[in-house]
Amino acid sequence: MSIAFLDPGNIESDLQAGAVAGFKLLWVLLWATVLGLLCQRLAARLGVVTGKDLGEVCHLYYPKVPRTLLWLTIELAIVGSDMQEVIGTAISFNLLSAGRIPLWGGVLITIVDTFFFLFLDNYGLRKLEAFFGFLITIMALTFGYEYVVARPSQGALLQGLFLPSCPGCGQPELLQAVGIVGAIIMPHNIYLHSALVKSREVDRARRADIREANMYFLIEATIALSASFIINLFVMAVFGQAFYQQTNEEAFNICANSSLRNYAKIFPRDNQTVSVDIYQGGVILGCLFGPAALYIWAVGLLAAGQSSTMTGTYAGQFVMESLLLPFAVLPILTFTSMPAVMQEFANGLLSKVITSCIMALVCAINLYFVVSYLPSLPHPAYFGLVALLALGYLGLTAYLAWTCCIAHGASFLTHSSHQHFLYGLPKEEQEDGEESSG
């Protein structure tokens, strides 16, 4: 579950935030991880209490049209996430081979070895989890090495981590801040976590066992996300120390005067602030701290890309058995708030308020990205297509929000609305839901 917090998209978000804002956005990374933990907690509780993953519950509770649209949107989210993960792994192969393996070759290798490693699942989920643990250890060691050699200022780092402020920040910093939140809270990971907890044996006839399982899953998730937070912190701090306010000309000169001078040409010779990606980031680390830093970065990137590609594929498996981010957060908030589903383990008032705020934040971020994206469209004719897609997006989001309000027990919604929401359940489960709601 923690792998989705460490994919190449997260790594690139970290390094760009560090290069653009230095240490000013570290507190955003911290609180985005806390919000992610709250979402993962809900996913785990749903799986433990019901014995079903989020995809299965969506299939049972939503009518055919909304659940089909929900399925398609989540599959698109997984495809989009897997694209960056596969390309990130291919870039690591390119760096490790000094350019001998082209990107298309790295993509083919990644596709083949991803399915090969997933065969570990045939020997038990614990074997696969152990392999993921090995990859996380590699990331911790490699990115930790970069942190040690970069020697970021600890005072400035702690200030940026615990003081929520961003003095002198403008549009670029704001864009990086919302990008951090979007990279941390991944929709497919919520579906995945609700399914993974089913591998643990829990006696659901005993409330004490369910309560104990929920507690230990929260502890487990907290440890896992703490590890992922530290690794993300390493990356953001390294690039905040080494590249904050650096220009392309300075990056060119650094590489031109190093043993990796052949790589200098990837940086244009101008006075624009350097804009690094995961490829350029590895190169400039090698130029600054020696070739070893380049190859160690590539190994860490390989571990991040390979593991997250498998996670995305694994999550897709669970989504396919039944059935963008509001389409995961809204359903998990809905079902964990329903006494008919969760019984006494349904969300309390404080939990509902916090998760509703998360949902509002996510929707605001999505709206911000859409508004920011519109001016970059190459032709006004594309506005119509974007408007059509936005209409469908808002329609499905509104339906999910409406059902979420029902689950929250809003006073203006009638009992018949709740009965309609139980449509799609097997007959005996509908009866159980009606008795619980009564």
Side-chain angles (χ1 to χ4, degrees), residues 260-279:
L260 298 175
R261 60 183 63 89
N262 291 336
Y263 286 98
K265 58 186 178 183
I266 69 174
F267 299 101
R269 303 192 66 177
D270 57 43
N271 289 321
Q272 297 293 322
T273 302
V274 65
S275 176
V276 291
D277 54 28
I278 50 180
Y279 178 81

Side-chain angles (χ1 to χ4, degrees), residues 140-343:
L141 293 175
T142 52
F143 296 138
Y145 170 84
E146 308 288 357
Y147 181 85
V148 171
V149 297
R151 297 179 183 176
S153 171
Q154 298 302 300
L157 186 148
L158 292 174
Q159 181 178 346
L161 188 60
F162 294 111
L163 293 180
S165 63
C166 193
C169 289
Q171 180 80 0
E173 290 82 4
L174 178 60
L175 188 63
Q176 293 301 326
V178 296
I180 291 171
V181 178
I184 288 290
I185 307 176
M186 304 290 286
H188 67 273
N189 205 34
I190 296 174
Y191 283 83
L192 174 65
H193 197 196
S194 67
L196 291 178
V197 297
K198 292 163 56 180
S199 66
R200 269 65 169 174
E201 294 182 4
V202 179
D203 184 0
R204 292 180 177 83
R206 292 172 54 86
R207 297 303 187 214
D209 287 5
I210 294 177
R211 194 169 290 105
E212 182 182 39
N214 284 333
M215 179 188 69
Y216 282 112
F217 276 122
L218 177 59
I219 294 172
E220 183 181 58
T222 301
I223 294 172
L225 293 196
S226 295
S228 69
F229 167 73
I230 291 172
I231 295 172
N232 283 314
L233 177 64
F234 284 162
V235 176
M236 192 181 294
V238 166
F239 283 85
Q241 179 69 27
F243 307 114
Y244 179 48
Q245 295 181 333
Q246 290 268 17
T247 64
N248 287 317
E249 178 71 24
E250 290 170 330
F252 177 91
N253 292 333
I254 289 171
C255 284
N257 295 319
S258 71
S259 58
L260 298 175
R261 60 183 63 89
N262 291 336
Y263 286 98
K265 58 186 178 183
I266 69 174
F267 299 101
R269 303 192 66 177
D270 57 43
N271 289 321
Q272 297 293 322
T273 302
V274 65
S275 176
V276 291
D277 54 28
I278 50 180
Y279 178 81
Q280 294 171 317
V283 168
I284 204 165
L285 283 175
C287 295
L288 273 172
F289 306 118
L294 168 63
Y295 293 113
I296 290 173
W297 169 262
V299 170
L301 184 61
L302 175 62
Q306 188 63 74
S307 56
S308 57
T309 303
M310 289 190 289
T311 301
T313 306
Y314 206 47
Q317 169 190 331
F318 294 115
V319 173
M320 285 294 290
E321 289 174 353
S322 51
L323 291 169
L324 320 170
L325 192 53
F327 304 138
V329 179
L330 271 172
I332 198 67
L333 176 56
T334 298
F335 298 124
T336 54
S337 298
M338 289 178 62
V341 175
M342 301 293 289
Q343 290 126 30

Side-chain angles (χ1 to χ4, degrees), residues 92-166:
S92 69
F93 282 122
N94 182 268
L95 288 172
L96 286 170
S97 65
R100 295 183 182 88
I101 299 179
L103 288 182
W104 63 265
V107 168
L108 292 178
I109 294 172
T110 304
I111 292 171
V112 172
D113 65 23
T114 292
F115 286 103
F116 174 77
F117 288 131
L118 282 173
F119 277 118
L120 287 173
D121 191 30
N122 294 329
Y123 299 96
L125 184 60
R126 300 298 170 271
K127 305 281 193 311
L128 191 61
E129 288 179 337
F131 183 63
F132 281 135
F134 171 70
L135 294 175
I136 291 175
T137 302
I138 290 178
M139 281 185 268
L141 293 175
T142 52
F143 296 138
Y145 170 84
E146 308 288 357
Y147 181 85
V148 171
V149 297
R151 297 179 183 176
S153 171
Q154 298 302 300
L157 186 148
L158 292 174
Q159 181 178 346
L161 188 60
F162 294 111
L163 293 180
S165 63
C166 193

